[in-house]
Amino acid sequence: MSTARVLVVDDEPDIRGLVKEILEDEGYAVTTAESAAAAREARRGERPDVVLLDIWMPDLDGISLLREWNERGGLPCPVIMMSGHGTIETAIEATRLGAYDFVEKPISLAKLLLTVERALEASRLRRENEGLRNQFVMPLDPVVTSRAIQALKAQMEKLTAHDAWILVHGERGTDKEALARWLHEKSARREGPFITVAPGSIARDHAARALFGSEQNGAIQYGLIEQANGGTLFLDEVADLDPELQLRLSSAFARRHLIRCGAPDAVPIDLRVIAASSQDLDAAVQAGKFREELYYQLNVVPLQVPSLRERIEDIPELLRYYADFFANRDKLPYRQFPVAVQNRLRNYPWPGNLRELRNLVQRLLILGNAPEVSIDEVELALGTAPVVERPLHGAPLGIDFSLPLREAREEFERTYLLHQLGEAGGSVGKLAKMVGMERTHLYRKLKDLGVDPKSAVRDD
């Protein structure tokens, strides 16, 4: 279990010492500060999880310091005010500025510990809500039927007892982040934060500040790495990191310290890193596109996530799970997937893996009304609905009938879509209406077939 860090700010030595002793006896890591200036310096040195802040201090009162923090990037964490003679007006102002609660002097041991515990729990829930707000909620335990997933689950169970860094390999759409969350929730760091970094979604000009934080004119912004202190940092698609960030990350991980942008000093970090990639990092290292030292830092324990093609036995259970999930979450009518549909989906290649299957189930529940999903609906949703042959201005189909069925079908689809693209003047939007396909699936189909819409427009 990670140790929560508490900053106690009070100008009275006896109170600082008493509170420090009480909290350390309960297992907290405590730093003390005797003034606002010392509190600023302590906050620069390490991001606290809770601040106990006295209202009346000689250099700058607690309300003014609270206002200063609020105006310079927001409060670092829950702040609990301490006062022996506070007023209603003071309480209102502190609450407006974001204070979590008040503890009256003389301090009650039970009240102090309960307030700190509640503040930490509220902070943890807020972080979890922020992290999950835009994410799909997966079951904590992956659906296991296939041997591939059973083997993965067994390996993950062994890893829960260790704090080793992990590099998760797997195709896009295999829900590598869900597995990283599962490992975090089962680890000794479960009470700490789980912070996701997706390098591809961060603008390159702001990536260093987003990851490492910044200091400027007394204002401190804690970066994503520092926010993960005490918990787990998940680096998604780590191969998308540019060379400069790879170097800075490698240096920070090696020293267990980082330097915020614009800061003169390094600050300690204590976290577990789980990285993920759908690319061949070994090849990237050999090609000089990924730093070798960072690769070995992350690849302490490799974890391979199977594609959906490698676990087709799980598809019936996954269909039931997602149908039930979307029916409950989105108030959609529950629909059953008969055996014929299940068999059809077991034979689909699933280039988008679990993400594609999940989206398919949601679409079928939204667009369909019948209690059971039909084969025709599935074919249409997958973009594999049969098409009616039309003469291509007298041109032969150009299909080699000695080919296997799948390759012959691809040849026909390529010829058909090239012709229809010409009819549509190269417009994929018009093409989607003409062939009766959803545009996203059509783009994927064109890409799979090697058809470039821009170069497929006829000159006649």
Side-chain angles (χ1 to χ4, degrees), residues 12-62:
E12 298 183 49
D14 290 344
I15 293 181
R16 289 199 310 273
L18 174 63
V19 173
K20 184 176 190 293
E21 182 179 347
I22 291 171
L23 293 175
E24 286 182 338
D25 284 345
E26 294 297 317
Y28 296 106
V30 183
T31 302
T32 61
E34 70 279 5
S35 64
R40 293 190 194 99
E41 192 62 27
R43 185 191 162 198
R44 283 188 64 250
E46 189 172 35
R47 180 176 183 264
D49 296 304
V50 174
V51 174
L52 289 168
L53 177 60
D54 187 26
I55 289 181
W56 303 108
M57 294 185 295
D59 61 337
L60 186 73
D61 64 87

Side-chain angles (χ1 to χ4, degrees), residues 133-313:
R133 187 173 294 129
N134 297 318
Q135 296 175 15
F136 182 84
V137 181
M138 280 290 295
L140 190 59
D141 292 287
V143 177
V144 287
T145 300
S146 61
R147 290 184 178 180
I149 284 294
Q150 287 178 350
L152 174 64
K153 181 71 181 301
Q155 189 177 4
M156 290 168 60
E157 290 283 3
K158 292 180 181 178
L159 292 174
T160 59
H162 304 281
D163 204 35
W165 291 17
I166 299 171
L167 181 57
V168 184
H169 301 269
E171 296 180 7
R172 291 184 185 272
T174 49
D175 278 351
K176 296 183 285 294
E177 181 174 352
L179 298 184
R181 284 186 178 277
W182 188 93
L183 287 165
H184 171 74
E185 291 296 331
K186 296 287 187 178
S187 75
R189 294 178 178 269
R190 67 181 69 89
E191 298 298 327
F194 181 94
I195 301 296
T196 297
V197 174
S201 66
I202 303 175
R204 177 164 295 188
D205 294 343
H206 304 290
R209 289 179 179 273
L211 286 172
F212 293 89
S214 64
E215 285 187 34
Q216 187 174 10
N217 300 324
I220 300 174
Q221 293 285 350
Y222 296 109
L224 293 169
I225 299 173
E226 206 168 347
Q227 290 176 35
N229 257 339
T232 301
L233 180 72
F234 176 63
L235 293 174
D236 193 16
E237 292 301 337
V238 69
D240 291 341
L241 288 164
D242 65 40
E244 180 184 352
L245 285 178
Q246 291 180 33
L247 176 60
R248 290 191 62 168
L249 275 176
S250 178
S251 176
F253 291 160
R255 293 171 173 78
R256 293 294 197 270
H257 284 76
L258 63 79
I259 300 177
R260 303 185 192 110
C261 297
D265 304 313
V267 295
I269 52 174
D270 170 27
L271 45 77
R272 182 191 201 182
V273 177
I274 300 178
S277 179
S278 60
Q279 301 182 37
D280 186 344
L281 288 184
D282 280 313
V285 169
Q286 295 299 320
K289 296 180 179 179
F290 197 83
R291 296 192 70 86
E292 184 177 27
E293 60 268 35
L294 179 58
Y295 173 70
Y296 287 117
Q297 287 169 327
L298 299 175
N299 195 33
V300 177
V301 179
L303 197 64
Q304 183 68 44
V305 183
S307 67
L308 192 51
R309 297 183 301 280
E310 299 172 278
R311 48 177 298 201
I312 57 173
E313 304 97 311

Side-chain angles (χ1 to χ4, degrees), residues 4-8 28 47-52 76-80 115-117 119-121 123:
R5 300 173 296 276
V6 182
L7 172 60
V8 180
Y28 296 106
R47 180 176 183 264
D49 296 304
V50 174
V51 174
L52 289 168
C77 59
V79 177
I80 301 168
T115 305
V116 170
E117 183 180 338
L120 287 168
E121 178 65 14
S123 179

Side-chain angles (χ1 to χ4, degrees), residues 7 23 60 84 90 114 156 289 328 393 401 425 433 436 439:
L7 172 60
L23 293 175
L60 186 73
T90 301
L114 181 61
M156 290 168 60
K289 296 180 179 179
N328 288 310
H393 301 294
F401 289 97
K433 293 179 181 179
R439 189 178 297 194

